[in-house]
Amino acid sequence: MPNAKDIQITVDNINFFVVGERGTGKSFFAATFPTPAFLFDFDKQATVYRDLDVEYEQYDFSNLGWVKFEKDLARVLLEKKHKTIIIDSMTSFQSLAMERALAINPSRNEAGGAKFEIHYSLIRTLIEGVMRKILSYIGYKVIIAHLEADRNQEGGIVGYHPLLPGALKTILPSFFGEILYAQRRHIDNKLSYVLQTVNLGYYNARSNLSGRQKLLPDFVPNDFNSIMELLKKKKEEDDVKKLPVI
């Protein structure tokens, strides 16, 4: 039977969930991934990927927009030609899912809006179904989400979570081994864009790639290739330490 001590680091089929405030470099990070890539562009961020081999589609926030998305997703998953799939962002994607939920169940509350117990339950089902399909794809997946603050009774911030409705804010991240929080930090008096890899402060980040061996530092550059180089270097250093002393 398999033994965990024999598991090797796999760096060619990884799922990244990238969370952060607007302007912290989430889309720029996604733009550093291997191409050809496909971008499901719900935030109209395609210009970030200019000059790169990135196909993309954008969507109207309507039931027809959802239907178009489902057709595009089926095509991308069937073609299997893209090295990276990007969702930018889940925050806007949930708005599209709401339009689909309202079309599936046309009932409304007294104000004419969505019924929380009905439509948000449908959104969860729709998004979970889509994510399971995307995460089954062999290649890199980059899912971008924005932040929402957790507050105590006095209104003070005690943490942050992805800006998603209901239980999705905890369920969706559980699908991912790499949950990275994008931040702006001043390093050597220079503004830098980094990704937090560990549960620290207000952010529940984690990196299965880094693992118990701490192959990655607490903050890594906002660049895919730089992260892969850090992993490679640390792995080589650890392998040298394991060599027998002659």
Side-chain angles (χ1 to χ4, degrees), residues 94-157:
Q94 66 177 301
S95 297
L96 182 62
M98 173 60 83
E99 294 299 324
R100 179 59 173 169
L102 291 169
I104 292 173
N105 189 321
S107 63
R108 300 290 189 273
N109 60 25
E110 294 180 355
K115 291 185 175 180
F116 184 87
E117 69 279 6
I118 295 175
H119 295 107
Y120 282 96
S121 177
L122 279 171
I123 286 177
R124 173 179 168 179
T125 300
L126 290 167
I127 291 180
E128 282 193 44
V130 164
M131 291 310 305
R132 292 183 189 281
K133 290 179 181 179
I134 292 176
L135 295 181
S136 69
Y137 185 83
I138 303 301
Y140 300 106
K141 282 77 70 177
V142 186
I143 312 301
I144 293 172
H146 296 99
L147 281 178
E148 185 175 30
D150 292 315
R151 298 182 181 274
N152 57 25
Q153 293 182 343
E154 291 73 35
I157 296 176

Side-chain angles (χ1 to χ4, degrees), residues 146-229:
H146 296 99
L147 281 178
E148 185 175 30
D150 292 315
R151 298 182 181 274
N152 57 25
Q153 293 182 343
E154 291 73 35
I157 296 176
V158 295
Y160 289 98
H161 62 260
L163 181 55
L164 293 166
L168 272 177
K169 64 188 176 185
T170 53
I171 291 174
L172 197 57
S174 71
F175 292 174
F176 294 80
E178 306 303 304
I179 304 175
L180 308 179
Y181 277 77
Q183 298 179 33
R184 295 182 296 265
R185 293 172 63 89
H186 282 87
I187 302 175
D188 296 329
N189 295 319
K190 180 181 178 181
L191 180 63
S192 300
Y193 293 86
V194 297
L195 299 163
Q196 184 172 319
T197 64
V198 295
N199 187 345
L200 182 68
Y202 291 135
Y203 308 106
N204 292 318
R206 74 161 179 264
S207 172
N208 286 354
L209 281 174
S210 185
R212 292 189 302 108
Q213 298 83 3
K214 289 283 291 180
L215 299 181
L216 293 174
D218 293 352
F219 296 91
V220 295
N222 190 28
D223 177 78
F224 172 83
N225 289 322
S226 295
I227 293 173
M228 294 300 108
E229 284 299 316

Side-chain angles (χ1 to χ4, degrees), residues 8-169:
Q8 300 295 314
I9 296 176
T10 301
V11 294
D12 57 357
N13 181 32
I14 313 171
N15 307 321
F16 290 83
F17 193 69
V18 186
V19 189
E21 296 177 352
R22 296 185 185 277
T24 52
K26 300 181 298 299
S27 298
F28 281 96
F29 176 57
T32 67
F33 274 71
T35 58
F38 193 93
L39 165 67
F40 292 98
D41 186 16
F42 301 104
D43 280 4
K44 306 297 189 292
Q45 291 278 18
T47 53
V48 172
Y49 305 84
R50 186 172 54 242
D51 297 328
L52 299 174
D53 186 8
V54 178
E55 295 182 67
Y56 69 94
E57 290 288 348
Q58 298 175 332
Y59 303 93
D60 295 329
F61 289 101
S62 65
N63 184 52
L64 289 177
W66 178 271
V67 172
K68 172 177 166 53
F69 163 72
E70 285 192 317
K71 290 181 179 178
D72 291 337
L73 177 60
R75 173 174 59 83
V76 169
L77 297 180
L78 182 63
E79 289 176 342
K80 299 179 181 180
K81 70 177 186 179
H82 301 95
K83 294 182 179 179
T84 304
I85 293 178
I86 304 165
I87 295 281
D88 196 352
S89 68
M90 283 301 304
T91 310
S92 296
F93 179 52
Q94 66 177 301
S95 297
L96 182 62
M98 173 60 83
E99 294 299 324
R100 179 59 173 169
L102 291 169
I104 292 173
N105 189 321
S107 63
R108 300 290 189 273
N109 60 25
E110 294 180 355
K115 291 185 175 180
F116 184 87
E117 69 279 6
I118 295 175
H119 295 107
Y120 282 96
S121 177
L122 279 171
I123 286 177
R124 173 179 168 179
T125 300
L126 290 167
I127 291 180
E128 282 193 44
V130 164
M131 291 310 305
R132 292 183 189 281
K133 290 179 181 179
I134 292 176
L135 295 181
S136 69
Y137 185 83
I138 303 301
Y140 300 106
K141 282 77 70 177
V142 186
I143 312 301
I144 293 172
H146 296 99
L147 281 178
E148 185 175 30
D150 292 315
R151 298 182 181 274
N152 57 25
Q153 293 182 343
E154 291 73 35
I157 296 176
V158 295
Y160 289 98
H161 62 260
L163 181 55
L164 293 166
L168 272 177
K169 64 188 176 185

